[in-house]
């Protein structure tokens, strides 16, 4: 599993549309060979079909698709958007923190999700995600130092 | 008691919701069978309660289960309140 490793994190990425924001985060998974490029298209397609239900909390989106859409390894990438983007979520717009989830059928999927829940259940850590300036600072938030 | 946590694909967000719902139920001592599942499968499954987002709740209006809406999946206070207001201990 790969959870928010250095190559899976990008800060202050410009995106004007939800599709561009999803793609920016998904492309990090593709670049690290964790998902196939078709998976990113499936994430965008899922947004168009099912709407913004994956905007799970104020400012936080978790785009994903199905394991069979091309996931090689359970993984999470993180993009912080330069400017917030409206996804159409009545409760939680606009989005500035995008976590692209490589959803796998393996046991590691559960571990990845637990890591993510532990991070995002903590309001103080979420606030720090909005203000970090480097991957080094993210590592401190994640408790990896 | 059967509870379905529902999202569009049944892979990611519904699993997150299930983790936090199970934690909340456990702290309240409520015994329940909690599953996470995609929207289309959920429509044909029987359950006592469905917990999901505002966006997907509209599609589940005709389901016989009581539908409970959670807006912030990471806010344990909201999840606790949603359970307390809807599910008898």
């Amino acid at each position: 599993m790969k959870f928010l490793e250095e190559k899976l994190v990008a800060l202050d990425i410009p995106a004007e549309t939800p599709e561009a924001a999803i793609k920016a985060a998904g492309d990090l998974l593709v670049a690290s060979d964790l998902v196939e490029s078709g998976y990113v298209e499936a994430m965008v397609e899922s947004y168009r079909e099912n709407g913004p239900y994956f905007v799970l909390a104020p400012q936080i989106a978790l785009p994903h698709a199905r394991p069979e859409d091309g996931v090689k390894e359970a993984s999470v990438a993180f993009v912080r958007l330069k400017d917030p983007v409206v996804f159409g979520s009545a409760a939680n717009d606009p989005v500035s923190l995008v976590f692209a989830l490589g959803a796998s059928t393996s046991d590691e999927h559960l571990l990845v999700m637990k890591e993510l829940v532990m991070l995002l259940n903590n309001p103080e850590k979420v606030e720090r995600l909005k203000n970090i300036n480097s991957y080094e600072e993210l590592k401190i938030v994640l408790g990896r130092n | 008691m059967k509870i379905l946590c529902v999202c569009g694909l049944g892979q990611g967000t519904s699993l997150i919701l299930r983790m936090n719902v199970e934690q909340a139920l456990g702290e309240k001592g409520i015994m329940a069978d909690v599953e996470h599942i995609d929207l289309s499968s959920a429509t044909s499954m029987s359950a006592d309660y469905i917990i999901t987002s505002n966006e997907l709740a509209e599609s589940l209006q005709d389901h016989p289960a009581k539908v409970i809406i959670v807006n912030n999946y990471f806010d344990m206070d909201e999840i606790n309140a949603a359970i307390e207001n809807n599910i008898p201990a």
Side-chain angles (χ1 to χ4, degrees):
Chain A
M1 69 180 243
K2 296 279 188 297
F3 181 76
L4 302 184
E5 297 185 359
E6 188 158 13
K7 286 182 176 169
L8 299 179
V9 175
L11 299 176
D12 302 328
I13 301 302
E16 300 209 335
T17 62
E19 287 87 349
I22 292 167
K23 200 167 175 313
D27 283 349
L28 294 176
L29 297 176
V30 175
S32 287
D33 203 28
L34 299 167
V35 305
E36 291 165 15
S37 59
Y39 184 78
V40 180
E41 286 155 33
M43 288 199 298
V44 172
E45 195 52 41
S46 168
Y47 166 65
R48 290 187 180 133
E49 245 170 60
N50 300 307
Y53 75 86
F54 56 87
V55 183
L56 295 190
Q59 300 188 47
I60 299 175
L62 250 83
H64 60 284
R66 293 186 171 86
E68 56 267 34
D69 291 320
V71 175
K72 298 176 185 173
E73 189 173 345
S75 48
V76 178
F78 168 51
V79 162
R80 187 174 70 197
L81 301 174
K82 185 166 180 289
D83 298 304
V85 171
V86 170
F87 274 56
S89 165
N92 297 320
D93 263 340
V95 169
S96 57
L97 310 176
V98 182
F99 295 85
L101 174 65
S104 104
T105 50
S106 69
D107 294 342
E108 288 192 337
H109 179 57
L110 197 60
L111 292 176
V112 161
M113 298 302 277
K114 279 184 177 159
E115 291 269 350
L116 193 57
V117 168
M118 267 170 44
L119 174 66
L120 298 179
N121 269 9
N122 185 324
E124 187 245 339
K125 287 189 175 180
V126 171
E127 271 313 300
R128 283 162 73 189
L129 289 180
K130 295 171 190 169
N131 297 309
I132 53 172
N133 295 304
S134 66
Y135 185 73
E136 289 305 310
E137 291 182 30
L138 176 63
K139 273 165 61 178
I140 297 169
V141 176
L142 295 174
R144 283 189 185 160
N145 275 20
Chain B
M1 175 179 8
K2 177 131 183 163
I3 300 174
L4 301 179
C5 295
V6 176
C7 79
L9 303 176
Q11 304 287 347
T13 58
S14 55
L15 176 58
I16 287 173
L17 186 58
R18 176 184 165 184
M19 287 177 185
N20 282 341
V21 164
E22 282 183 332
Q23 186 190 326
L25 291 170
E27 285 168 7
K28 295 177 199 312
I30 300 173
M31 298 290 286
D33 173 17
V34 186
E35 276 188 56
H36 65 283
I37 193 162
D38 67 280
L39 181 63
S40 59
S41 305
T43 52
S44 58
M45 268 181 89
S46 69
D48 299 297
Y49 299 96
I50 289 175
I51 308 182
T52 190
S53 65
N54 187 32
E55 277 87 9
L56 298 183
E58 288 172 24
S59 309
L60 290 161
Q61 275 175 349
D62 298 332
H63 199 286
K66 180 164 188 182
V67 179
I68 302 170
I69 292 171
V70 169
N71 284 315
N72 183 340
Y73 282 28
F74 300 110
D75 183 348
M76 288 307 295
D77 291 339
E78 183 185 345
I79 292 171
N80 277 313
I83 290 171
E84 280 162 21
N85 293 337
N86 291 287
I87 302 177

